[in-house]
Structure formats: C-alpha cells, structure tokens
Amino acid sequence: MDRIKPLRIIENRAAPNCRRVRIFLAEKGIEIPYDQIDIMAGDHFKTEYKEKVGTYRVPVLELSDGSFLTESIAICRFFEMEKPEIPLFGRTQLEISLVEMWQRRMEFELLWPIAFVLRHGNPKMTVLEDQCEAWSVANRPRVLVGLETLNKQLTHNQFIVGSNFSVADITAIVAVNFLRTIRVEIPEHLEFLLNWKATVSQRSSIGV
Ligand SMILES: N[C@@H](CCC(=O)N[C@@H](CS)C(=O)NCC(=O)O)C(=O)O
C-alpha cells in the first residue's frame, strides 16, 4: 500500500493554532505548501469548506488519500512520525508523558483562557463567536494564574520539560505571544518566564 503523504496545509496566518503547526514544522525542517483561508471574512463557515474538511476550524492538513486531518496537535503528531529524528514530543517514557501533560496544561490553562478573553470581549470577534462578555471577564485572572504556573515550572527547567525544547514550549510561546491581543504584559516578577521567552524567541522557527 502506498504511503500516505502530506499534501498541503490550509491555515490562517494570524491564527495562533496555525502558528503552532508552522513553528513545529520549522523546527523539524519540513516544508509544505500553505493555503490561506480568510476566517475574519467567514470563508471557513462556507458549506463547501465544512463538508470537505469535516469542521470549520483551522489548521487542516490535506493528505494524499483524499482525507483531511484537523487539530493542531494531531497534525504535529503526523509530522513527528514523518521525521522522528528531531523529537518534539519527548524521548523517554517519562519525558513523553511530561510533554503530553505540559502541552495540555499550556492549552487549557493559558492558550484557551487568552483566546476566551479575546473572543468574548473584543467586538471585532463577533464574526467568529456568539459572545458572552462574562466569560471574557472570568478568564482574565486565569491568564495570570497560567503565567504564574509557567514561571514556576521554568524555575528549575531550561525548557518546560527539562533541557529539551518540545511541543509544550511551542504551545506556550504561541500563547505568550498571543497576550498582546488582550493587552496583557508578563509581570516583571515572573523572571524565569521572561528569560525563557527571550531564549525561545531567538529560535529561527519562532519567526515563521
Ligand atoms: N483545537 C483546535 C482549535 C482550532 C481553532 O480553534 N482554530 C481557530 C484559529 S486559531 C479557528 O479555526 N477559528 C475559527 C473560528 O473560531 O470560527 C486545534 O488545536 O487545532
């Protein structure tokens, strides 16, 4: 049976989940064509797109068997198997488990709270969201708790899981960069987080 090949990624340049995949691929040195879809114009809500892909969200990986893979981390896992020699999901039993744990925590405790503040609180986001302002307000303090959690984890670690850069760092740096959309600065006392951000930002993958 022919090996299933990755054909292209459908994404939106400004969307944080798409950026997670772009950074992951840049770290691996994998090149693939990207097609843009204008989510702020609502193009992803068109029936033709949803029926083809199975969801209206981005990013999406189109495969050579005609199927579409969604969910940023599922797409990253596909590419982890394509090029395992640069492991970004961990190496040992414990490291793989810790990367999984911290990747999830960075999503649930940082990236999503930031996204909820933005999506439910910014009038421009009514294109994408049936807004509930109270949900935006409720998530603002959670963002600061998430930043404190990350800072604590970085107290004794170069990267989020020890000395190896991983997909947990990718989710976290995308979330931290996304803070600007809700006008939140990292508090000065979170020095381990600030140092980690400065170090990670120097990686060439982060510029994609
Ligand atoms: N859990 C999904 C989330 C995907 C997602 O929410 N993508 C956003 C862009 S960052 C999107 O498609 N937004 C369009 C919308 O909400 O209508 C993943 O990890 O890929």
Side-chain angles (χ1 to χ4, degrees):
M1 204 169 78
D2 280 352
R3 191 179 71 84
I4 295 172
K5 296 185 200 67
L7 294 185
R8 64 168 178 147
I9 286 176
I10 307 168
E11 63 140 24
N12 179 273
R13 207 75 199 157
N17 285 296
C18 301
R19 184 159 180 250
R20 291 204 279 169
V21 172
R22 283 202 309 277
I23 293 174
F24 189 92
L25 292 181
E27 285 285 337
K28 291 231 174 233
I30 295 174
E31 291 189 6
I32 187 162
Y34 289 97
D35 284 336
Q36 301 299 312
I37 185 160
D38 189 349
I39 60 174
M40 294 311 282
D43 289 352
H44 59 311
F45 291 134
K46 291 183 179 155
T47 312
E48 182 194 300
Y49 176 81
K50 281 193 288 184
E51 278 180 1
K52 187 171 71 174
V53 166
T55 174
Y56 59 88
R57 295 188 189 274
V58 286
V60 176
L61 171 63
E62 183 174 359
L63 297 167
S64 58
D65 65 351
S67 64
F68 294 88
L69 194 58
T70 62
E71 291 297 320
S72 315
I73 295 303
I75 295 170
C76 290
R77 282 200 182 276
F78 183 92
F79 288 110
E80 180 82 346
M81 302 290 281
E82 285 274 297
K83 201 166 180 183
E85 57 272 25
I86 302 174
L88 291 170
F89 279 92
R91 293 159 169 80
T92 63
Q93 182 181 28
L94 181 60
E95 197 185 74
I96 290 168
S97 306
L98 287 169
V99 169
E100 181 75 23
M101 178 181 105
W102 279 104
Q103 197 296 120
R104 301 276 288 180
R105 289 192 66 180
M106 287 300 100
E107 279 182 347
F108 290 124
E109 297 176 30
L110 198 55
L111 184 55
W112 295 167
I114 298 168
F116 292 144
V117 171
L118 175 70
R119 292 175 67 107
H120 289 273
N122 184 323
K124 286 188 187 142
M125 300 306 283
T126 51
V127 180
L128 303 182
E129 198 67 72
D130 290 329
Q131 292 187 321
C132 167
E133 207 196 329
W135 188 230
S136 174
V137 172
N139 274 280
R140 208 169 259 283
R142 290 178 191 170
V143 171
L144 292 174
V145 173
L147 293 173
E148 296 271 0
T149 301
L150 180 51
N151 184 67
K152 191 166 173 225
Q153 176 62 8
L154 291 165
T155 309
H156 301 295
N157 292 294
Q158 181 189 359
F159 295 111
I160 295 179
V161 180
S163 55
N164 293 318
F165 183 83
S166 74
V167 71
D169 295 281
I170 295 178
T171 296
I173 193 69
V174 167
V176 162
N177 290 159
F178 202 41
L179 285 171
R180 71 181 159 71
T181 65
I182 58 166
R183 297 199 171 91
V184 168
E185 302 268 349
I186 300 172
E188 271 176 31
H189 70 279
L190 301 183
E191 57 185 291
F192 298 102
L193 170 52
L194 285 164
N195 287 341
W196 165 88
K197 185 188 172 206
T199 305
V200 169
S201 300
Q202 282 169 15
R203 300 175 82 87
S204 57
S205 64
I206 304 302
V208 296

